Amino acid sequence: MPFSSQVYIIQGMNPANVNIDKTALIRKIPIFADLPGSAQKLIEENSYIAEYRKDHILYSEGAPPDSFYCMLTGRARVFIKTPSGEDKTLIFLHRGDYVGIISLLTNEPHSASVRIMNDAFILRIDKKNFGLLLKEIPQLALKFGESLSRRLKKKESEPKSVFESAIISVFGLARKAGRTMYAVNLAIALAIETRKKVILLDMSHSGNECASMLRMDELKCVDLERHSINYEDVKPLIAKYEAGGIHLLGMGCAEHTKIEPTNVISFLSLLASEFNYIVVDMPAEIDKSEYTILAQCDLIHVVTDCNEHNLKATGKFMSELKKELRDPENAVKAIINEFVQTDTFEEEVKLLGHKAYAALPDLGFLAGMISAGLPPVLVVPESLYSRSVRRIAREIGGILVGLALGSGAALGLVHIGVLKVLEREKIPIDFVSGTSIGAVIAAFWTSGIEIAELEKIALKFKRKDLLFSLADFSLMPLQGFMNGNNIRRFFHQHLGSKTFHDTRIPLKVVACTLRSRENVVIDQGGLVDALCASSSIPMFIKPKRYGDDFLIDGGTLDPVPIDVLAKNGAKKIIAVNCLPSQEEMMRGFKEFEEKRKKEEIRLAQRTAFSRLVYKFKSWVRRTFAPNVFDVMMNTSLAMQYVLAEASSRDADCVIHPVLPNAAWFELYKVEELIRRGEQETEKMLPQIKALMEE
């Protein structure tokens, strides 16, 4: 069932065959509606209706003007290319909207491109006929002139927000794989997280599976066998689920229902002008007509369970479906419901044959809530299942929040204080990136270690002897002074054999290749291996083998990994840079000197032995400080600060918790460092909360 981008001219075809009466339509188009009958007749004679397939480019930015286009059915997106090469949406077109007029009137190239989003019928007037109509119908020339004036004024004024909409279909080959449950929870999560209008369409055989799950009254379904489906006629059938803030509409696809895909697709396009998100719960068994509808959706979430047969069948279906789409990797997403997990996640993905977009954890006791009509995302929003669905909703809504935790050796213990405040204030974090100590703190937290337990683990380093327990000096320090085995054992003690799949929040760990000097983002495999690579401080800890190369501390090139968040869809980024600036280092030095002078004044009142001990300690400090380790680390951190400052400019909010009198190795100052992280995050809370509200 391939989709061609060819234009199908249906001029001269019997209007009844395509359910389009051009004469009636011209009278309903606002810009033509007030014209005399003779003028409307002239427009009818000099126009034609064309059908365009999904993803067809109507015209491109910079192309010469060729026609006037007016949407009759379907949707289209007007966009421009930004200097960075990305597409920026200007407006979405729905029924009655028209484009191409400015270029025709000014004879200038198109200032934007137009892409068809669903199969669409469009009234088209070619350039030559358009000029003729302007001469023959003065009122039309006046109307178009007024339209041009309004649009030019809009360009000069502050741009208004774009009414964006998306049609998301949820489909699953396997029965009882959690398809409808996912569709219901996704719709509610979209309404809660985006605060926009959401409608859930139930296309199951009964058209009432969603309503039944929510313990709502039975819905009266839309007659899908009608020649056309009008929104005003259907509006009384739409029910409201007040608790979840969503609308529901039954569109039952009984076994012998004869569906005309064009009519349903046209109706979905109409809904897209009324609702921001249309979630379509598709039936488990679909015919050619329903498959056509499925392929017209903006996003297709294919749900399966962990059964080996279902995974393979779903993978085969996805392979066929992706052949039909222009951008299959972004449009088609696999959702694995891990109700009864028999294999590892890696084995499940292998059976599926496609990348898994999300894995939904076992509901456990929440299954009882579903049977009682209580959706988890509404009743238990912090459960693992709810968090997963909410994160998906936030990604669809373009409001993902990313948190970047930077490098800094012992100074990075401030990250614990930052996380304490963010958790306490319920700031949503959708995924985390970390480098070096930032990766360690991020991995412990996202793996499920509660923040109180994480703080307890860190506080053990108040004992200075524990710092030495991490050291395992190499007898032959060819690649580093330490082998890093004790650090690995420490990680394994707390993380065991956990993998990235086991994290409750998606995690990206950043390391750096030694020879090719490239950033490596690790998001698969064991957490311990990733942390050992990201925290392999050059010359201190042996680098980790990575194919023909080696991995070293990620802070070497990317001390605050913001870029990885942006590349993975984060629209709101909070960064934590714990590296001190030159001014902060100088302030710390001055504080140390003032403290030393006060100590010398107090020593005058003490015993001779006390003065002797103090002088000996001062001699040791002057003789052995800075040592080779201090020189290497402080030089490295100074360079990392410059990189961190440049990187942090791309964050929406930067938390900069620095303890000036703390050195890179002073893990025993953990209490002060955690408290500093809390203090600086609390100062930034107004800005962070304002960012969340945007």
Side-chain angles (χ1 to χ4, degrees):
M1 287 164 273
F3 296 112
S4 167
S5 60
Q6 178 182 357
V7 178
Y8 293 83
I9 307 301
I10 59 172
Q11 182 186 19
M13 187 180 293
N14 185 345
N17 293 336
V18 293
N19 299 319
I20 293 180
D21 182 344
K22 189 164 68 166
T23 303
L25 279 172
I26 289 173
R27 291 173 182 166
K28 292 180 180 179
I29 296 172
I31 202 160
F32 301 144
D34 297 335
L35 297 175
S38 58
Q40 292 177 348
K41 182 68 175 176
L42 192 60
I43 292 170
E44 182 182 348
E45 292 171 354
N46 287 275
S47 65
Y48 58 90
I49 297 175
E51 182 182 8
Y52 295 89
R53 297 301 190 190
K54 179 182 178 182
D55 290 324
H56 177 79
I57 296 293
L58 201 60
Y59 57 74
S60 298
E61 185 176 354
D66 59 348
S67 297
F68 166 85
Y69 303 90
C70 181
M71 301 293 297
L72 301 180
T73 66
R75 292 181 300 154
R77 182 170 71 99
V78 182
F79 64 95
I80 59 172
K81 284 285 184 184
T82 64
S84 62
E86 298 178 348
D87 291 348
K88 178 183 178 181
T89 300
L90 301 180
I91 193 172
F92 287 91
L93 303 176
H94 301 276
R95 185 173 66 176
D97 293 333
Y98 51 88
V99 287
I101 178 177
I102 293 179
S103 294
L104 285 171
L105 292 176
T106 61
N107 202 32
E108 294 179 354
H110 291 296
S111 59
S113 302
V114 180
R115 183 185 297 278
I116 302 299
M117 297 183 67
N118 301 113
D119 289 357
F121 286 109
I122 293 178
L123 181 76
R124 179 168 173 168
I125 305 174
D126 288 339
K127 184 177 180 179
K128 181 180 178 181
N129 291 339
F130 184 80
L132 173 66
L133 289 174
L134 291 184
K135 291 179 180 178
E136 296 294 329
I137 311 173
Q139 305 100 310
L140 186 61
L142 181 61
K143 282 177 173 286
F144 280 137
E146 291 172 349
S147 176
L148 174 61
S149 176
R150 285 195 300 270
R151 293 191 184 190
L152 290 176
K153 285 180 180 178
K154 281 185 179 181
K155 277 189 174 183
E156 295 170 1
S157 63
E158 194 70 26
K160 66 175 183 178
S161 60
V162 179
F163 183 88
E164 296 194 50
S165 58
I167 302 172
I168 307 136
S169 63
V170 180
F171 173 73
L173 289 171
R175 295 184 179 276
K176 298 183 179 179
R179 182 203 76 240
T180 298
M181 179 178 64
Y182 171 70
V184 168
N185 280 276
L186 177 63
I188 295 172
L190 281 167
I192 294 172
E193 299 295 336
T194 67
R195 302 175 190 175
K196 293 182 177 179
K197 291 180 67 178
V198 180
I199 187 167
L200 175 59
L201 305 184
D202 189 336
M203 291 190 70
S204 63
H205 288 325
S206 68
N208 269 280
E209 287 186 9
C210 296
S212 175
M213 182 172 285
L214 294 171
R215 294 293 183 267
M216 295 175 64
D217 293 337
E218 185 173 330
L219 302 176
K220 187 174 180 182
C221 294
V222 177
D223 181 6
L224 296 180
E225 294 184 310
R226 293 172 57 180
H227 288 302
S228 63
I229 308 173
N230 187 287
Y231 177 70
E232 293 302 322
D233 294 337
V234 169
K235 200 172 180 179
L237 305 180
I238 298 175
K240 181 76 181 287
Y241 178 60
E242 295 290 349
I246 63 171
H247 297 78
L248 280 84
L249 180 62
M251 297 181 67
C253 292
E255 190 173 347
H256 300 295
T257 303
K258 294 181 180 179
I259 301 174
E260 173 51 56
T262 303
N263 293 335
V264 176
I265 293 165
S266 176
F267 177 63
L268 291 177
S269 299
L270 289 176
L271 285 178
S273 64
E274 299 289 335
F275 295 89
N276 297 98
Y277 300 103
I278 300 98
V279 179
V280 186
D281 185 26
M282 301 290 292
E285 297 174 359
I286 59 174
D287 59 19
K288 184 178 179 180
S289 297
E290 291 154 343
Y291 184 92
T292 302
I293 297 168
L294 181 75
Q296 287 286 313
C297 296
D298 302 314
L299 296 172
I300 304 167
H301 288 191
V302 185
V303 181
T304 181
D305 56 18
C306 302
N307 178 274
E308 181 177 339
H309 171 76
N310 292 338
L311 284 167
K312 288 181 177 179
T314 299
K316 185 178 179 181
F317 173 81
M318 288 178 64
S319 296
E320 292 299 315
L321 179 62
K322 285 183 175 183
K323 294 176 184 177
E324 315 288 350
L325 306 174
R326 180 184 63 88
D327 189 12
E329 297 308 317
N330 287 322
V332 184
K333 308 287 187 181
I335 312 289
I336 301 178
N337 263 317
E338 296 183 329
F339 295 153
V340 182
Q341 190 173 8
T342 55
D343 298 303
T344 65
F345 178 71
E346 289 73 17
E347 289 169 333
E348 291 170 359
V349 172
K350 190 174 180 181
L351 289 168
L352 183 68
H354 297 269
K355 184 179 178 180
Y357 173 60
L360 303 180
D362 181 17
L363 281 168
F365 76 94
L366 296 179
M369 291 186 172
I370 286 293
S371 61
L374 302 172
V377 294
L378 198 58
V379 183
V380 196
E382 294 305 315
S383 68
L384 291 179
Y385 181 90
S386 299
R387 281 185 178 185
S388 297
V389 177
R390 286 170 56 203
R391 190 195 66 79
I392 294 170
R394 293 173 68 78
E395 181 167 352
I396 293 171
I399 53 173
L400 280 179
V401 179
L403 174 66
L405 302 183
S407 60
L411 308 179
L413 291 173
V414 296
H415 294 316
I416 299 174
V418 172
L419 292 173
K420 282 180 69 176
V421 176
L422 294 179
E423 262 201 10
R424 187 190 70 211
E425 298 296 324
K426 293 183 169 53
I427 303 298
I429 302 298
D430 295 302
F431 56 102
V432 186
S433 66
T435 189
S436 193
I437 182 66
V440 175
I441 302 298
F444 277 46
W445 184 60
T446 59
S447 71
I449 297 176
E450 296 298 330
I451 195 67
E453 179 62 22
L454 178 53
E455 184 175 15
K456 187 177 176 182
I457 293 169
L459 287 173
K460 291 179 181 179
F461 287 99
K462 287 174 67 177
R463 289 174 47 193
K464 294 184 181 181
D465 59 306
L466 282 182
L467 175 61
F468 296 101
S469 71
L470 296 178
D472 56 343
F473 291 98
S474 175
L475 296 175
M476 296 185 67
L478 299 178
Q479 296 179 335
F481 290 108
M482 293 190 294
N483 294 315
N485 294 329
N486 287 356
I487 294 175
R488 171 179 281 276
R489 276 192 284 271
F490 173 75
F491 292 156
H492 193 271
Q493 177 187 349
H494 297 287
L495 296 173
S497 58
K498 286 185 178 180
T499 67
F500 281 86
H501 174 62
D502 298 316
T503 59
R504 60 183 178 178
I505 299 173
L507 171 66
K508 309 286 182 181
V509 170
V510 177
C512 170
T513 56
L514 179 62
R515 290 172 177 164
S516 57
R517 302 177 188 176
E518 294 176 322
N519 277 340
V520 174
V521 179
I522 310 171
D523 57 7
Q524 295 181 19
L527 291 175
V528 171
D529 290 335
L531 297 187
C532 287
S534 184
S535 55
S536 292
I537 304 172
M539 295 186 69
F540 273 79
I541 304 171
K542 282 176 61 176
K544 307 307 172 190
R545 173 69 69 174
Y546 181 68
D548 295 331
D549 210 329
F550 294 89
L551 291 179
I552 59 174
D553 192 304
T556 308
L557 284 182
D558 199 359
V560 184
I562 292 170
D563 189 50
V564 62
L565 296 176
K567 286 181 178 178
N568 281 272
K571 302 300 181 184
K572 303 174 182 180
I573 296 176
I574 302 170
V576 186
N577 177 13
C578 56
L579 296 169
S581 65
Q582 180 185 9
E583 292 77 14
E584 288 162 331
M585 289 292 290
M586 289 298 297
R587 187 165 68 247
F589 178 74
K590 287 179 180 178
E591 289 177 4
F592 174 79
E593 285 297 304
E594 289 173 2
K595 184 179 178 181
R596 184 182 62 80
K597 289 176 181 177
K598 289 178 182 178
E599 184 67 21
E600 288 179 350
I601 294 172
R602 284 195 296 268
L603 276 171
Q605 310 299 321
R606 295 186 181 180
T607 63
F609 179 76
S610 296
R611 292 195 294 273
L612 184 63
V613 171
Y614 177 80
K615 287 181 179 179
F616 176 75
K617 287 183 177 179
S618 298
W619 175 81
V620 170
R621 186 175 62 250
R622 289 194 304 271
T623 304
F624 297 100
N627 56 47
V628 65
F629 298 111
D630 288 324
V631 172
M632 287 189 300
M633 279 302 298
N634 285 321
T635 301
S636 174
L637 293 178
M639 291 187 293
Q640 287 185 34
Y641 173 78
V642 176
L643 294 174
E645 278 291 286
S647 176
S648 296
R649 295 191 190 104
D650 293 328
D652 298 290
C653 178
V654 180
I655 304 171
H656 189 51
V658 172
L659 193 62
N661 63 348
W664 61 270
F665 61 88
E666 292 179 325
L667 292 171
Y668 48 82
K669 290 187 176 180
V670 55
E671 275 188 310
E672 294 176 73
L673 288 162
I674 292 175
R675 186 163 60 250
R676 187 63 172 170
E678 291 182 73
Q679 291 169 347
E680 289 301 311
T681 308
E682 285 168 350
K683 287 181 184 177
M684 296 299 295
L685 274 178
Q687 184 178 335
I688 293 171
K689 290 183 176 180
L691 177 65
M692 296 303 105
E693 291 298 318
E694 288 180 4

